[in-house]
């Protein structure tokens, strides 16, 4: 049995099954020119370059133009594309192009909504990075735009397409876990890069960056490269840890459980304990979510590193995804005589109780059960990356008009949960989702 890198790294022992990658990993060869998806990238920073590369690895795609606000990123994008491309700092010039079928949007979060709506109106399909929105009301406008213009809009939280999460869904649906009442998840980090304190390129200036366009409809302020390159640290442009990392965990949890809705309530606590370089978002946040049938405890901590975990607790079993490796184990559910309170009984009564109990519950035939200690582990093959499946799914939807695997309704539900976590933290109150007014109430 060959272990996937994730399983090996975690030192997983026992029975490990290697999951089969999706169809996208087998697709090679030529695609008819009429099926080629011509796309452009809007926002080609770290993530924009990554997803451009991923999109180019999907057969039958071609990049035709790119847009960013910083000269260095326009150069970086062309290095990834390995060709000279038409470039612009105004995304509307991209949307005006007739040779663009789809756009990849990887700008900071405060720009997602405007660009997605404009792209839909211009007849382009859109892959928009997570989190879908910066503010709650934007999500509904984006859903309307996609529907009105009949566009494919896919949100970029790749767990939605990952094979490990699909296997977890299958196990959940099989009933193996019994009744699930609790879920916990975390993503923790302990270094400057993980805390978004990225280095500033030495040529960053108002000459190389369109600062005014970066601000968009955010509050005006004078040029500040830290705000431009470390935008996640500021509520004007991002949503801190929930928008950056909760959204991945929420996508995974909703995928496993098959839910597609906002939580009913959220309560967060946290603080800025360590990263005091000027950010206005917490470096630790802990949130308790109330979903209809189960509760979720979620946290991100930038002050201690530990392997990412999502754990689903059921009456019959426990499912854990740790570092991308899935493990399921059954709970001991065979009948047992009560073994606590009877020790407060007189010995005679206790013995009678135990005797009677055993008569009613004969000893199991050896080997018949128990499965109680069996742990099953599922790992992706070495080199597997759910981003490839997610991008493949997007390109398939563009070609075939099959609905997106992560449409804006789903993306909106995870984004709302992120906004609820922040609402609770900043307003020091329980955040309540009001479906009627489609808003968060305190
Ligand atoms: N799915 C994932 O795993 C994942 C990982 C990282 C980032 N992301 C998401 O990707 C997005 C980008 O993150 P990043 O780390 O690449 O940030 P980044 O700062 O590295 O890049 C953002 C780029 O967008 C450009 N930009 C800003 N406003 C623009 C506008 N109006 N028009 C065109 N370009 C504009 C900036 O110049 C910058 O180069 C964010 O939404 C983030 O949450 C997703």
């Amino acid at each position: 049995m060959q272990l996937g890198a994730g399983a090996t790294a975690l030192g997983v022992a026992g029975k490990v099954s290697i999951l089969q990658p999706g169809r996208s990993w087998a697709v090679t060869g030529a695609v008819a020119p009429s099926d080629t998806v011509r796309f452009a990238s809007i926002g080609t920073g770290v993530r924009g370059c990554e997803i451009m590369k991923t999109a180019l690895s999907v057969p039958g795609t071609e990049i035709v133009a790119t847009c960013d606000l910083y000269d260095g990123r326009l150069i970086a994008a062309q290095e990834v594309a390995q060709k000279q491309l038409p470039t612009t700092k105004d995304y509307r010039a991209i949307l005006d192009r007739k040779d663009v079928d789809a756009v990849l949007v990887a700008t900071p979060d405060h720009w997602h909504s405007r660009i997605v709506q404009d792209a839909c109106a211009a007849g382009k399909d859109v892959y928009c990075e997570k989190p879908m929105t910066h503010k709650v009301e934007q999500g509904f406008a984006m859903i309307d735009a996609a529907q009105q213009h009949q566009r494919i809009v896919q949100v970029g939280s790749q767990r939605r397409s990952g094979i490990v999460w699909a296997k977890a869904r299958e196990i959940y649906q099989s009933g193996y876990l019994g009744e699930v009442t609790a879920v916990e998840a975390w993503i923790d980090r302990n270094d400057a890069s993980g805390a978004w304190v990225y280095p500033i390129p030495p040529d960053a200036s108002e000459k190389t960056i369109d600062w005014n366009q970066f601000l968009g409809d955010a509050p005006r302020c004078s040029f500040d490269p830290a705000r431009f390159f470390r935008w996640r640290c500021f509520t004007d442009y991002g949503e801190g840890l929930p928008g950056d990392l909760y959204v991945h965990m929420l996508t995974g949890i909703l995928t496993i459980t098959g839910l597609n809705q906002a939580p009913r309530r959220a309560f967060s606590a946290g603080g800025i304990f360590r990263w005091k370089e000027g950010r206005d978002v917490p470096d630790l946040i802990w949130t308790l979510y109330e979903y209809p049938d189960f509760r979720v405890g979620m946290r991100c901590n930038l002050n201690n590193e530990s392997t990412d975990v999502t754990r689903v607790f059921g009456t019959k079993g426990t499912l854990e995804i740790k570092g991308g490796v899935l493990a399921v184990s059954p709970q001991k559910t065979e009948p047992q005589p009560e073994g606590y309170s009877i020790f407060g009984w007189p010995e005679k009564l206790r013995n009678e109780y135990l005797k009677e109990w055993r008569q009613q519950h004969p000893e199991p035939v050896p080997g018949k059960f128990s499965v109680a200690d069996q742990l099953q582990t599922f790992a992706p093959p070495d080199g597997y990356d759910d981003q490839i499946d997610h991008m493949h799914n997007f390109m398939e939807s563009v070609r075939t008009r099959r609905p997106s695997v992560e449409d804006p309704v789903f993306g909106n539900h995870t984004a709302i949960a992120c906004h609820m976590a922040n609402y609770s933290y900043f307003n020091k109150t329980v955040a309540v989702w009001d479906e009627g007014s489609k808003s968060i109430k305190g």
Side-chain angles (χ1 to χ4, degrees):
M1 175 78 64
Q2 197 196 357
L3 289 183
T8 313
L10 290 169
V12 170
K15 189 181 163 208
V16 180
S17 306
I18 303 299
L19 296 167
Q20 288 302 309
R23 204 171 64 81
S24 46
W25 293 73
V27 176
T28 51
V31 171
S34 56
D35 276 345
T36 299
V37 178
R38 292 181 181 79
F39 72 93
S41 288
I42 302 175
T44 55
V46 183
R47 188 60 179 171
C49 282
E50 267 175 8
I51 57 173
M52 183 204 293
K53 200 169 168 187
T54 307
L56 288 170
S57 76
V58 178
T61 62
E62 185 190 342
I63 178 143
V64 294
T66 182
C67 168
D68 199 277
L69 304 185
Y70 164 46
D71 292 345
R73 256 99 193 239
L74 292 172
I75 296 169
Q78 295 180 85
E79 287 172 357
V80 170
Q82 296 185 338
K83 63 177 182 182
Q84 293 248 305
L85 290 169
T87 65
T88 175
K89 288 186 177 170
D90 182 351
Y91 72 90
R92 288 166 302 185
I94 296 274
L95 303 183
D96 286 342
R97 294 180 68 105
K98 298 283 172 280
D99 59 351
V100 171
D101 303 314
V103 289
L104 311 185
V105 179
T107 62
D109 310 341
H110 70 301
W111 265 106
H112 290 178
S113 173
R114 179 75 271 136
I115 297 175
V116 169
Q117 289 179 66
D118 289 349
C120 289
K124 314 299 183 196
D125 295 324
V126 191
Y127 183 100
C128 175
E129 266 306 337
K130 51 53 53 176
M132 188 170 108
T133 60
H134 184 50
K135 295 189 176 136
V136 168
E137 59 276 14
Q138 295 172 341
F140 299 96
M142 292 162 86
I143 293 168
D144 285 350
Q147 285 172 353
Q148 186 191 339
H149 301 287
Q150 300 188 349
R151 292 295 98 202
I152 301 291
V153 174
Q154 182 169 314
V155 180
S157 2
Q158 53 275 19
R159 287 185 179 181
R160 190 73 181 149
S161 295
I163 53 175
V164 171
W165 303 89
K167 183 70 190 176
R169 167 81 186 133
E170 188 187 308
I171 291 165
Y172 182 95
Q173 275 183 308
S174 74
Y176 176 96
L177 300 176
E179 187 187 352
V180 169
T181 56
V183 179
E184 67 177 358
W186 64 79
I187 299 177
D188 292 346
R189 300 163 166 179
N190 191 8
D191 62 284
S193 182
W196 319 310
V197 186
Y198 304 131
I200 312 262
D203 68 348
S205 76
E206 281 189 274
K207 285 204 180 79
T208 56
I209 291 170
D210 186 338
W211 174 248
N212 205 37
Q213 178 76 344
F214 169 77
L215 289 178
D217 60 7
R220 300 285 104 187
C221 64
S222 51
F223 179 68
D224 181 349
R227 284 185 162 256
F228 185 82
F229 288 99
R230 301 170 184 166
W231 55 266
R232 286 172 174 80
C233 299
F234 303 96
T235 50
D236 286 343
Y237 325 111
E239 309 75 30
L241 285 164
D244 201 35
L245 299 175
Y246 273 20
V247 66
H248 287 300
M249 296 186 268
L250 290 160
T251 299
I253 292 165
L254 294 200
T255 297
I256 294 172
T257 56
L259 273 194
N260 190 0
Q261 66 183 89
R264 290 196 296 225
R265 299 194 302 162
F267 176 73
S268 302
I272 305 178
F273 291 92
R274 173 190 182 192
W275 299 98
K276 297 184 175 169
E277 74 300 319
R279 71 184 58 208
D280 59 25
V281 296
D283 59 27
L284 165 75
I285 184 161
W286 218 305
T287 302
L288 189 59
Y289 285 114
E290 183 180 281
Y291 282 94
D293 296 333
F294 54 82
R295 311 293 175 253
V296 177
M298 186 168 286
R299 116 183 151 227
C300 285
N301 183 5
L302 297 179
N303 308 312
N304 180 276
E305 168 85 34
S306 68
T307 307
D308 303 355
V309 163
T310 296
R311 225 173 252 145
V312 181
F313 301 97
T315 49
K316 293 186 184 163
T318 308
L319 180 153
E320 175 187 86
I321 299 178
K322 185 175 184 187
V325 175
L326 165 63
V328 280
S329 54
Q331 291 277 290
K332 288 192 175 162
T333 52
E334 301 111 61
Q336 299 287 338
E338 206 282 336
Y340 175 69
S341 66
I342 55 169
F343 288 95
W345 295 6
E347 190 178 359
K348 180 170 174 293
L349 293 185
R350 179 165 62 245
N351 287 341
E352 279 169 16
Y353 163 80
L354 288 171
K355 193 169 158 209
E356 194 177 324
W357 190 93
R358 183 48 73 201
Q359 277 164 1
Q360 287 167 5
H361 302 87
E363 292 272 14
V365 179
K368 195 84 193 272
F369 68 104
S370 103
V371 291
D373 295 326
Q374 285 174 15
L375 173 78
Q376 296 176 71
T377 306
F378 303 88
D382 280 348
Y384 175 77
D385 179 358
D386 47 16
Q387 179 55 58
I388 296 179
D389 278 338
H390 205 48
M391 187 58 76
H392 185 274
N393 281 333
F394 172 67
M395 294 299 177
E396 273 295 287
S397 290
V398 171
R399 282 197 191 97
T400 63
R401 313 318 288 170
R402 176 192 74 182
S404 147
V405 293
E406 190 178 0
D407 66 16
V409 172
F410 183 93
N412 195 33
H413 286 144
T414 55
I416 288 169
C418 298
H419 300 314
M420 288 173 71
N422 279 329
Y423 184 101
S424 172
Y425 172 79
F426 285 107
N427 294 294
K428 297 185 169 47
T429 185
V430 175
V432 179
W433 177 245
D434 182 42
E435 190 62 41
S437 64
K438 299 201 182 318
S439 65
I440 302 171
K441 301 259 161 82

